[in-house]
Amino acid sequence: MPPTIITPGIAKNAAKHLTSATTRTEALSLYREILRTCKHFHWCDSNGNPWNKLLKDEARKEFDASKEEIDPLIIASMLVKGRDCVQNIQMKFNEADRKCWERIARDTSRR
């Protein structure tokens, strides 16, 4: 479900559009999408820690830190920014993966 976008002009009606059930569902959906995206990061950092574990831990910290937020506009903003960041990462990852497969195909066709 796409996040609900609320502009400042309708801030008074924001509570009607963002019920706690709606924001909880959207936040849970975003968190699950982040975890699915983290699975694709298989390599390790310079200390030998796997990136997927580091990213999962960081996502958990961010969600725990914002758990107590009650302002619907701030919650909506965090959800929209989070969804946008995940989609950007997915697009970049998919583009890099596509380029790798193209290079593999090009290199194997030279043989």
Side-chain angles (χ1 to χ4, degrees):
M1 174 163 79
T4 305
I5 300 174
I6 298 175
T7 58
I10 58 171
K12 293 179 183 177
N13 296 327
K16 292 179 185 175
H17 299 291
L18 283 176
T19 62
S20 61
T22 303
T23 56
R24 179 169 164 39
T25 303
E26 289 181 20
L28 190 56
S29 172
L30 175 61
Y31 184 68
R32 287 179 178 156
E33 186 68 25
I34 290 170
L35 293 181
R36 282 191 292 271
T37 303
C38 288
K39 287 181 184 179
H40 297 288
F41 291 83
H42 298 289
W43 51 90
C44 296
D45 67 355
S46 59
N47 297 329
N49 299 321
W51 271 107
N52 56 5
K53 175 135 175 50
L54 294 172
L55 293 172
K56 286 178 188 178
D57 292 344
E58 192 61 33
R60 184 69 193 170
K61 285 181 199 173
E62 289 290 327
F63 273 83
D64 283 341
S66 61
K67 194 175 188 178
E68 302 299 323
E69 185 59 54
I70 57 171
D71 185 7
L73 290 177
I74 293 175
I75 293 170
S77 174
M78 287 189 292
L79 289 171
V80 169
K81 287 177 187 175
R83 182 71 64 187
D84 186 46
C85 289
V86 170
Q87 288 174 348
N88 285 338
I89 293 290
Q90 289 171 340
M91 286 189 323
K92 288 178 183 179
F93 196 88
N94 290 338
E95 180 65 22
D97 190 49
R98 185 187 59 78
K99 286 181 181 179
C100 288
W101 282 109
E102 286 175 358
R103 173 121 189 231
I104 289 170
R106 189 174 56 239
D107 290 348
T108 56
S109 66
R110 290 183 189 171
R111 293 181 186 179

